[in-house]
Amino acid sequence: MDNAKQIWMNKDSRYLLTLVVISFVSPAAILFIYKILAVTEIFALPVLPPITTLLTLVLTVVYLGCFWSFHNYFKVVHKEERDTAHQTEALNQHSMVTKTDLNSDITYANEKFLFIMGYKLNDLVGKTSSTYWPDQEEALLHEIRVTLRMGKKWSGNVQLETKDGKPVHTHSTYVPQMNKKGELIGSIAIRTDISDTKVATGDKNTRRSLHILRDEIYMFEAGTLCYTYLNQAAMKATGWNESNYPQKTVFDRFMPNGENSAMNVKTFYECVRPLVNSEVEEITQELIMGGKPYEVKIQLVRPDVGKPYFMTIVRDISERHAFDKTKDEFISTVSHELRTPLTSIKGALGLVLSGAFGEFNEGATKMLNIAHRNSDRLSLLINDILDLEKTAAGRMEFNLEPIDMAELINDSIQENAPYCKQYDVSMVGIGLNEGVLAYCDRDRVFQVMNNLLSNAAKFSNKGAEILIDLEERDSTIYISVEDFGMGIPQGAQATIFERFTQADSSDRREKGGTGLGLSIVKLLVEKQNGTIDFVSKPGEGTKFFFELPKTDNDVSGEVSDSLQIAAE
C-alpha cells in the first residue's frame, strides 16, 4: 500500500509541474508575439491590436484545454493505479506469488509465500525454484517448465516443501512472460494454500469409512487428550453424541467413575512413550470395562498437515476369551494325560541307549536316538503347555523381592554361552555394572532371559553379536535383548506373542521350537506387573524389551484385572 501512495505522489508532482510549465509558457508566448510586433511597452497601448487579442485568446483556450486534458488524464491514471494497488493487495493477502527468470531462478516472492514456506527473501532470490519442490514432484516441475516454454499457462494442484521439510498443498497457476519475439523471459506463479481443505477432505472420507465399523473408534488430540471423533459404535457404547463428546477426554471412557484413579496424564504418556519415540507403531492392551474384556489398540497419527492425534480401536473380545478358555481346558487335559506315559517312554529309551539291555547295531542305535530326541521335544512341548496353563490359571507362584538385575543378567549370559557358541554368536552386555534392583521373581525373570537369549541366538547371523542392555528409568527397570538377524516378517508381528505362533518363514521353522516360548514370556513378565514388547525390521534384526517395577515402587504382588484377563 505504501508503494501505491508513493506512485500517486510522483504522479501528482508531475501534474503540478505541467501546470506550472504551461503557466510560464503562455505569458512567454504573448511576450514573444509583442516582440514581433515591435511593441516595447506591453501596457502602453490603450487597445490591443486585433491580432494580439486573437492570439491571446487562442493561447488561453489552449492553456485551459491542456489543463483540462491533463486533469482528466491523471484522474484516470490515479483511478487505475488505485484499482491496481487494491488488486495487488488482495492478491498478496490471498495468494502465494513468486516470479522466476528464464533459468527458473527466483527473482521475487511475496510476503505470504515467505511466511507459509518459512523462508526469507534473501534465502530464495537467485536460487532455482526447485529449492521448495520435493524430490517426488520433479516430473511435474519438468512438465510445468515445458508448458511455459511453449507460451502456455499451467494450472493444477502442486505439493511444495517448506524450509523445515513440511508439505504444503497448493492450487497453482503458472503464467509465462514473453518478449516481443515470443520468447520466454520468465514466469509468474500464483498459488492458493489448500492444505487445510485437503486434510479436511481426507479426514471426511476416512471417517465415513470408520463410522460403519463394528469396532469402537476413538480419536483424541495428543496434547489435550480431548476427543475429536467417535464412530457410531463408540457413541452407542458411551451414550455420547457429536455435540458433547468434544468435551470428554480419554479418561472419561477408559477410567469412568474414578476407576483406575492412579492413571493420570503423566502415567498415560509414560504408557504411550514407545509410540511418541517411534519405537513401535501400535500398543495393544486388554482392559476390563463394564465387566467385559476389551482389546484396546492405540496408534499415534502424525499427519502431514495438522496436529498429531491418537486413534484408539476398542474391540469386545468376550467370545474370543470363551473360545480360548475351552481350547486351553482341552489342551491341558490332553497334556496331563500324555505326560505320564511320555515320561515312561523317555525313561525306557534312555535305559536302552545306556546299554542296560546289551549292544545294538548301528542302524538300531540311530533309530533309538531319533526316538529319544523326539521324546525330549514332545516332553518340552508338554511342559510348556502345562507352564502356560498354570500361569493362566494363577496357580504358578511368584516370589517377588528386590533382585540385582545386573547379576541376574550376567548369570543368564553365562548360562546361554554354550548355546550361543553352537550358532557362532557372541553376547555383549551394556550397563550391567550398575547393580540396579527390580521387584520381581528371580527364577521367572531368569526363565524370560533364557528364552529371549536362545531365540536371539537361533535367529542371528553367524558371527553376529547379541546386545543385552540394562537401564534404570524413573519408575521401572528396562531390559532389552537385540539381535541382528533375519527379523520377524511384517505379517507375523501382530501375533508373535500368541500361543502356538511362529513367524511363517521356512528359515525360522528350521530353527525348531514349540511356538509357546514368547507367549509364556509375556505372561511371566505381566504377572510381575511388567510390560514387554518388541521392534523388528525384516532382514535387519529384532529387539525385545521389557520393563519391571523398581524396588522403591509401591507394588503389590496381586495381578491387576486387565493383566489377569491377558493371562487367561
Side-chain angles (χ1 to χ4, degrees), residues 51-209:
I51 186 65
T52 305
T53 303
L54 179 61
L55 289 173
T56 301
L57 289 174
V58 170
L59 289 173
T60 301
V61 170
V62 171
Y63 174 79
L64 292 174
C66 290
F67 175 84
W68 183 254
S69 298
F70 276 111
H71 173 74
N72 287 337
Y73 169 76
F74 284 114
K75 184 177 180 181
V76 171
V77 169
H78 283 182
K79 184 177 184 304
E80 291 177 351
E81 289 174 345
R82 283 195 298 270
D83 291 344
T84 301
H86 290 153
Q87 292 169 4
T88 302
E89 185 72 15
L91 184 65
N92 284 332
Q93 288 292 327
H94 177 72
S95 302
M96 305 160 60
V97 182
T98 56
K99 295 180 182 179
T100 55
D101 61 16
L102 176 61
N103 299 318
S104 297
D105 291 338
I106 303 162
T107 59
Y108 168 79
N110 72 341
E111 291 183 3
K112 189 173 184 68
F113 180 90
L114 297 174
F115 175 76
I116 292 177
M117 301 299 290
Y119 287 100
K120 294 181 179 179
L121 188 58
N122 293 337
D123 296 336
L124 295 177
V125 172
K127 294 184 178 179
T128 177
S129 58
S130 59
T131 301
Y132 43 78
W133 278 72
D135 294 339
Q136 65 268 23
E137 298 287 343
E138 186 176 347
L140 180 58
L141 177 59
H142 177 72
E143 176 191 330
I144 293 172
R145 287 174 175 174
V146 170
T147 303
L148 293 174
R149 289 193 188 99
M150 296 169 61
K152 300 177 181 179
K153 70 178 182 179
W154 185 95
S155 293
N157 291 341
V158 173
Q159 179 182 320
L160 303 181
E161 193 172 79
T162 64
K163 188 175 182 180
D164 56 3
K166 295 181 180 179
V168 175
H169 299 279
T170 69
H171 182 75
S172 304
T173 299
Y174 288 78
V175 181
Q177 292 180 297
M178 317 297 287
N179 61 17
K180 293 181 179 180
K181 297 179 181 179
E183 299 171 338
L184 181 70
I185 59 174
S187 65
I188 300 175
I190 303 171
R191 308 175 182 88
T192 303
D193 185 359
I194 61 170
S195 299
D196 292 342
T197 303
K198 193 173 184 68
V199 171
T201 302
D203 285 348
K204 185 177 180 180
N205 293 335
T206 301
R207 293 182 180 189
R208 187 182 294 117
S209 301

Side-chain angles (χ1 to χ4, degrees), residues 289-307:
M289 295 183 290
K292 298 172 67 176
Y294 288 87
E295 179 184 71
V296 180
K297 295 185 177 182
I298 305 176
Q299 299 173 345
L300 177 59
V301 182
R302 294 182 173 92
D304 291 339
V305 180
K307 298 179 180 179

Side-chain angles (χ1 to χ4, degrees), residues 327-346:
K327 180 184 68 175
D328 293 343
E329 288 175 352
F330 171 75
I331 292 174
S332 177
T333 301
V334 172
S335 299
H336 277 290
E337 294 299 324
L338 286 175
R339 192 174 197 179
T340 300
L342 181 62
T343 302
S344 299
I345 293 171
K346 183 180 176 182

Side-chain angles (χ1 to χ4, degrees), residues 469 478 480-483 533-536 541-545:
D469 186 22
Y478 171 91
S480 67
V481 176
E482 182 176 10
D483 69 68
D533 212 328
F534 72 97
V535 290
S536 183
T542 303
K543 177 196 282 190
F544 280 90
F545 51 90

Side-chain angles (χ1 to χ4, degrees), residues 457-475:
K458 284 191 292 187
F459 300 116
S460 289
N461 298 321
K462 286 188 175 182
E465 291 182 339
I466 299 172
L467 302 183
I468 303 99
D469 186 22
L470 173 64
E471 296 179 16
E472 182 175 10
R473 295 186 171 175
D474 291 341
S475 58

Side-chain angles (χ1 to χ4, degrees), residues 205-419:
N205 293 335
T206 301
R207 293 182 180 189
R208 187 182 294 117
S209 301
L210 295 176
H211 208 65
I212 60 175
L213 293 180
R214 294 177 60 186
D215 294 336
E216 301 172 32
I217 308 295
Y218 301 83
M219 296 182 185
F220 50 97
E221 292 183 354
T224 64
L225 303 184
C226 290
Y227 288 114
T228 57
Y229 171 77
L230 272 67
N231 74 341
Q232 188 172 343
M235 287 190 283
K236 182 178 179 181
T238 58
W240 302 337
N241 55 49
E242 293 178 350
S243 63
N244 59 22
Y245 73 64
Q247 286 78 48
K248 307 291 185 179
T249 71
V250 62
F251 304 110
D252 293 315
R253 172 63 178 114
F254 299 106
M255 274 89 20
N257 303 322
E259 293 179 14
N260 300 324
S261 57
M263 182 72 167
N264 53 32
V265 174
K266 182 178 178 180
T267 53
F268 172 81
Y269 283 117
E270 184 70 20
C271 175
V272 298
R273 182 173 58 184
L275 288 174
V276 176
N277 294 340
S278 300
E279 296 175 3
V280 297
E281 295 181 355
E282 181 179 85
I283 291 176
T284 302
Q285 292 186 345
E286 293 186 11
L287 301 177
I288 297 295
M289 295 183 290
K292 298 172 67 176
Y294 288 87
E295 179 184 71
V296 180
K297 295 185 177 182
I298 305 176
Q299 299 173 345
L300 177 59
V301 182
R302 294 182 173 92
D304 291 339
V305 180
K307 298 179 180 179
Y309 61 90
F310 289 103
M311 182 168 73
T312 302
I313 304 171
V314 180
R315 178 174 298 171
D316 185 346
I317 54 174
S318 301
E319 292 183 3
R320 184 199 301 176
H321 275 279
F323 173 77
D324 287 344
K325 186 176 181 180
T326 302
K327 180 184 68 175
D328 293 343
E329 288 175 352
F330 171 75
I331 292 174
S332 177
T333 301
V334 172
S335 299
H336 277 290
E337 294 299 324
L338 286 175
R339 192 174 197 179
T340 300
L342 181 62
T343 302
S344 299
I345 293 171
K346 183 180 176 182
L349 288 170
L351 280 173
V352 171
L353 287 171
S354 68
F357 299 98
E359 296 294 330
F360 293 91
N361 62 43
E362 184 178 349
T365 302
K366 184 177 180 180
M367 295 303 295
L368 288 169
N369 279 323
I370 292 173
H372 192 259
R373 283 198 304 270
N374 280 281
S375 66
D376 279 338
R377 186 176 180 183
L378 188 56
S379 179
L380 176 63
L381 173 60
I382 292 174
N383 287 335
D384 280 349
I385 292 173
L386 293 176
D387 280 348
L388 195 62
E389 189 269 336
K390 275 200 297 184
T391 305
R395 294 197 298 270
M396 181 175 284
E397 295 183 359
F398 288 84
N399 181 26
L400 302 182
E401 59 182 348
I403 299 297
D404 187 326
M405 293 304 297
E407 180 183 343
L408 186 151
I409 293 173
N410 277 316
D411 289 346
S412 64
I413 290 175
Q414 187 175 359
E415 177 80 13
N416 285 273
Y419 188 80

Side-chain angles (χ1 to χ4, degrees), residues 397-469:
E397 295 183 359
F398 288 84
N399 181 26
L400 302 182
E401 59 182 348
I403 299 297
D404 187 326
M405 293 304 297
E407 180 183 343
L408 186 151
I409 293 173
N410 277 316
D411 289 346
S412 64
I413 290 175
Q414 187 175 359
E415 177 80 13
N416 285 273
Y419 188 80
C420 289
K421 190 174 181 180
Q422 295 178 26
Y423 293 94
D424 191 20
V425 176
S426 59
M427 292 177 284
V428 177
I430 303 172
L432 302 186
N433 57 347
E434 297 179 1
V436 294
L437 301 179
Y439 198 70
C440 60
D441 185 309
R442 190 183 194 285
D443 292 338
R444 302 309 174 194
V445 176
F446 196 82
Q447 185 177 350
V448 169
M449 289 300 302
N450 283 346
N451 186 285
L452 296 180
L453 288 174
S454 62
N455 278 350
K458 284 191 292 187
F459 300 116
S460 289
N461 298 321
K462 286 188 175 182
E465 291 182 339
I466 299 172
L467 302 183
I468 303 99
D469 186 22

